[in-house]
Amino acid sequence: MDDDQTAEQPSPPEDGFMTLDLPDETGGQTPSELGISPTALAHLTHYYTERARLDHDATLLRFDEDLAQIAVAHSRDMRTREYLGHESPEGDNVGERLDRFQYAPPESERRGVRFGENIARNAYRVPVESDGRHINHTVEDVAAHVVDQWLDSPGHRENLLDPTWAREGIGVAFHPHRSGAFVFVTQVFSDV
C-alpha cells in the first residue's frame, strides 16, 4: 500500500467472521515505540463507553480485569490469525472463551448470568478508508472512534447501551504497520 492510499476499515461483523489481509509492512516498530499503550487504549475505550452509557441513561460499568484478560486473548487471536469475528474460525464464541478461562463472576452461584461482546478493528496513524482520509493520531482518537463504530452498528450499539450489564472488560491487540498500527479491540460484558 502506498503512503497516499488508505486502509480498508471493515464494519464489525454481526456474526461469523471476516478474513483479513493484514499488510506485513511493520516498519519494525513496536506499540511502545509508536507511543501507544494497549492498557491506556482499553481504559480510554472504557471511558468513552461510560460517556455513551451516561448519555443514554444506562448504568455505569465496573471494569473487570478477568473479563479484560479474556478480551485481550480474543483480540490477540484475531490479530494473529487475521480475522475479525465474534466466533473464532473454529466456531468458539464468547461463552466458550469464558469457560476456557474458567471465568467465575462475583456471585457465581447466581443462575442465568448473561454475557455479551463487541469487537472492532481500527487503526492508529494509518488512514481509514471508510472515513475518507481520517487518521487517528492519538490513543484518545482511537478509543473514541472505536466506541463510535459500535454506536453506529445496531447490534453493537444494543450491547454497549444494554442497561442490564454490570461489568465489562476490554482487551486490545496491535498489528504494527509502517508508522502506525491496526488495532483489534474486544469488549466483554457481564450482567453480574
Side-chain angles (χ1 to χ4, degrees):
M1 178 179 353
D2 295 327
D3 285 333
D4 62 342
Q5 291 180 323
T6 57
E8 182 178 341
Q9 180 63 39
S11 298
E14 295 295 329
D15 57 1
F17 70 94
M18 174 188 321
T19 302
L20 302 174
D21 184 20
L22 292 174
D24 57 7
E25 302 174 24
T26 64
Q29 295 187 19
T30 65
S32 62
E33 291 170 327
L34 293 170
I36 187 167
S37 156
T39 302
L41 180 53
H43 286 281
L44 282 164
T45 303
H46 174 71
Y47 167 77
Y48 285 110
T49 295
E50 297 289 62
R51 283 186 45 185
R53 290 177 64 83
L54 284 173
D55 287 348
H56 292 86
D57 298 320
T59 58
L60 295 178
L61 301 170
R62 177 172 292 159
F63 193 88
D64 185 305
E65 291 294 339
D66 292 331
L67 288 176
Q69 290 305 312
I70 296 164
V72 166
H74 187 56
S75 291
R76 287 179 179 167
D77 187 55
M78 289 190 295
R79 177 211 50 211
T80 301
R81 299 197 301 157
E82 298 185 4
Y83 73 95
L84 182 68
H86 294 286
E87 293 186 355
S88 71
E90 296 79 26
D92 291 342
N93 63 31
V94 65
E96 290 153 332
R97 287 190 291 279
L98 292 164
D99 288 344
R100 187 173 64 246
F101 279 84
Q102 300 177 336
Y103 178 72
E107 305 172 36
S108 58
E109 68 278 359
R110 180 176 165 187
R111 302 216 186 279
V113 175
R114 287 182 48 243
F115 296 98
E117 177 180 76
N118 283 341
I119 58 169
R121 176 178 171 252
N122 209 288
Y124 172 68
R125 294 187 185 165
V126 176
V128 180
E129 185 174 283
S130 67
D131 293 334
R133 300 238 349 128
H134 176 87
I135 300 177
N136 295 313
H137 290 284
T138 67
V139 68
E140 291 87 357
D141 291 345
V142 177
H145 196 222
V146 164
V147 172
D148 286 345
Q149 280 180 280
W150 289 332
L151 290 170
D152 289 342
S153 166
H156 294 93
R157 178 187 183 86
E158 183 178 338
N159 253 349
L160 192 135
L161 300 177
D162 186 326
T164 65
W165 296 137
R167 299 173 177 275
E168 76 167 338
I170 298 171
V172 176
F174 297 111
H175 176 81
H177 177 67
R178 295 189 179 184
S179 63
F182 293 104
V183 181
F184 291 83
V185 182
T186 302
Q187 179 180 47
V188 180
F189 301 97
S190 168
D191 67 351
V192 294

